[in-house]
Amino acid sequence: MTDSPPAPLTSPHDEIIAILDFGGQYVQLIARRVREAGAFSMLLAPSTSVEEIKRIGPRGIILSGGPASVCDEQAPRCDPKILDLDIPILGICYGMHLTCQMLGCRLEKAPAREYGRARLTIHDQSDLLAGLPAQTAVWMSHGDQVHDLSDHFHVLAETPTCPNAAVRHRSKPIFGVQFHPEVTHTPHGVDLLRNFIYDTCQCVNTWRMADFMQTETHRIREAVGDKRVICGLSGGVDSSVVAALLSQAIGDQLTCIFVDNGLLRNNERSLVESTFKDHFTLDLRVIDAADEFLADLKGVTDPQEKRKIIGHRFIDVFQRAARDIAEDVEYLAQGTLYPDVIESGQGHAGESANIKLHHNVGGLPEQLGFKLIEPLRDLFKDEVRKLGEVLGLPDHIIHRHPFPGPGLAVRVLGEVTKDRLDLLRDCDEILLEEIIAKNLYRSTNQVFAVLLPIQAVGVMGDGRSYESVVAIRAVETQDFMTADWARIPYVVLATISNRIINEVPGVNRVVYDISSKPPATIEWE
């Protein structure tokens, strides 16, 4: 058997807002804002044909912003026939330029690119701008402007430097805005989007996680039939939600495989076993492969080499475990999320695609010969957490901080040995205990300890010591693409440092990482 082909351009959701992705930096944010407003969003490539759009049946279409200029010959375009579908259209920035150009308006390059906050004065507070104040702040990011609206458009709003900042077609439900309503710098942007979704597109707020769960369990049952499914369970949010959803959908047809690679945090294995055997009574196979992984890593210090070794060994262990399961296993389930689909260029991604290779359990479907099930591929991370709540997963699983696939191997800088892993595990446990005790876990997005490949001089008791240095990393972020270091109170940092130095033999110095991403990464390796 082979991996399943990309899903067709169809959707089980009743109310869809299709977003044509012209490569704008905020396109995922548009999709999230639509979801948050209660409608289902779907990102499509600009090349999507009118026939495919008709099959999807969206209530409305949003044309996103983008880095190109519609004045350029190679600028991305969509089929102009979408303007004749009698489906409401909202063009944002580049999307507005393209819409207006296709309808005969004249565009010109602005003398200078306009970027930043501007003051919007609204002339028509009906339709798209209903309920917005007569003057409000908006966020601009553009190099072109629509200068001649011909007879097709009516001006809704302006800024001091942009006379046609928001427009509406005189006879069709087609709108354009020069600014970005999806960003927080446009404080009433969500109100504008809700006006488009509910008043113009006539959506009725049907995007509910409980409905998604019911729809997806039905789809899984239909796809799987009486075959068996295996799922690689790591204990992280994504794989845990996939396992819980599949357990509800197909019950004892599911087998989960948890690989103990010896690179886990303290009590990680027992946490996964107790959660999924006690709460869901599913078939969980725990594979103890710690000795194999540590033997492979002996003497290796290069971080990329560590990752490759761990990946190859994981596939080997998973293959052996899969062969021990019943012969009618046909499907492999994994926790691919919508950002993975968008950024890897799969499925419905548009101009923003091909940012990174798809990284979820890389190589397993092809090497094991299974068909692939990705029940979360339509969801963002925050939606996965909401689905976990609906499925009844405990809070300590739903709100877990991310943990790297290679485990503590990339947090032990230098050679990975059992002794160094045990030392780091004890430090990390103290760190998380104090962060949780001080009610900081939910206000931070990732917190962990790193064992550095150096030793430092210290004074322990009456003698001189020469022992290990541990770094503490805590960040705040919305999307993990950028991150800022968390301002942990000094008194908390002092408690963490004192406990680690006093309670973990072999550590005499603790440092706090105050670098942001970029230029640093969140993980150290």
Side-chain angles (χ1 to χ4, degrees), residues 224-230 249-255:
V224 170
D226 60 355
K227 301 297 182 181
R228 292 188 63 80
V229 179
I230 59 172
I250 58 174
D252 59 8
Q253 293 171 242
L254 170 69
T255 296

Side-chain angles (χ1 to χ4, degrees), residues 32 34 50 54-55 58 74-75 78 122 137 149 154 157-158 166 192 263 294 357 419 459 495 520:
R32 291 176 66 92
V34 172
V50 167
K54 284 180 180 177
R55 280 202 296 272
Q74 301 301 318
C78 61
I122 298 175
L149 294 177
H154 166 62
E158 66 175 334
L192 183 154
L263 307 170
L294 289 177
L357 293 175
D419 288 344
V459 178
T495 301

Side-chain angles (χ1 to χ4, degrees), residues 368-430:
L368 296 179
F370 294 129
K371 294 180 181 177
L372 194 58
I373 293 179
E374 299 172 305
L376 309 183
R377 64 180 286 122
D378 282 345
L379 302 183
F380 290 100
K381 189 76 171 188
D382 57 325
E383 293 172 322
V384 173
R385 296 189 195 277
K386 291 176 184 176
L387 179 58
E389 292 174 357
V390 173
L391 288 163
L393 279 168
D395 276 356
H396 66 264
I397 291 289
I398 295 171
H399 297 288
R400 296 195 85 186
H401 287 181
F403 187 65
L408 296 180
V410 294
R411 294 179 181 172
V412 171
L413 307 194
E415 184 177 6
V416 179
T417 65
K418 186 177 184 305
D419 288 344
R420 300 190 78 212
L421 285 166
D422 287 341
L423 184 150
L424 179 61
R425 272 189 270 264
D426 291 341
C427 295
D428 200 65
E429 185 172 28
I430 290 170

Side-chain angles (χ1 to χ4, degrees), residues 387-518:
L387 179 58
E389 292 174 357
V390 173
L391 288 163
L393 279 168
D395 276 356
H396 66 264
I397 291 289
I398 295 171
H399 297 288
R400 296 195 85 186
H401 287 181
F403 187 65
L408 296 180
V410 294
R411 294 179 181 172
V412 171
L413 307 194
E415 184 177 6
V416 179
T417 65
K418 186 177 184 305
D419 288 344
R420 300 190 78 212
L421 285 166
D422 287 341
L423 184 150
L424 179 61
R425 272 189 270 264
D426 291 341
C427 295
D428 200 65
E429 185 172 28
I430 290 170
L431 168 62
L432 292 177
E433 280 179 1
E434 292 300 327
I435 291 294
I436 293 169
K438 301 304 188 292
N439 201 28
L440 294 171
Y441 191 80
R442 296 283 287 274
S443 62
T444 53
N445 299 99
Q446 198 165 358
V447 178
F448 56 91
V450 180
L451 180 59
L452 305 188
I454 58 174
Q455 291 183 307
V457 174
V459 178
M460 304 288 282
D462 295 324
R464 181 183 177 91
S465 68
Y466 191 60
E467 295 181 332
S468 296
V469 180
V470 169
I472 302 301
R473 181 73 157 143
V475 300
E476 297 172 352
T477 178
Q478 289 187 330
D479 53 16
F480 290 92
M481 302 300 290
T482 62
D484 194 14
W485 59 278
R487 272 61 172 177
I488 303 295
Y490 291 155
V491 65
V492 178
L493 291 174
T495 301
I496 292 167
S497 176
N498 288 337
R499 283 198 60 194
I500 288 176
I501 292 172
N502 290 327
E503 298 176 30
V504 182
V507 178
N508 68 358
R509 193 177 297 262
V510 174
V511 298
Y512 189 52
D513 182 349
I514 58 169
S515 50
S516 297
K517 176 186 178 182

Side-chain angles (χ1 to χ4, degrees), residues 290-311:
D291 291 343
E292 296 176 63
F293 281 88
L294 289 177
D296 290 344
L297 291 168
K298 185 175 182 180
V300 178
T301 59
D302 180 77
Q304 290 306 315
E305 189 64 22
K306 289 181 188 178
R307 290 176 182 272
K308 289 179 183 178
I309 288 170
I310 292 167

Side-chain angles (χ1 to χ4, degrees), residues 334-338 340-341 346 358 360 374-378:
Q334 64 183 33
T336 307
L337 305 189
Y338 202 35
D340 298 329
V341 177
Q346 296 184 10
H358 186 49
N360 209 322
E374 299 172 305
L376 309 183
R377 64 180 286 122
D378 282 345

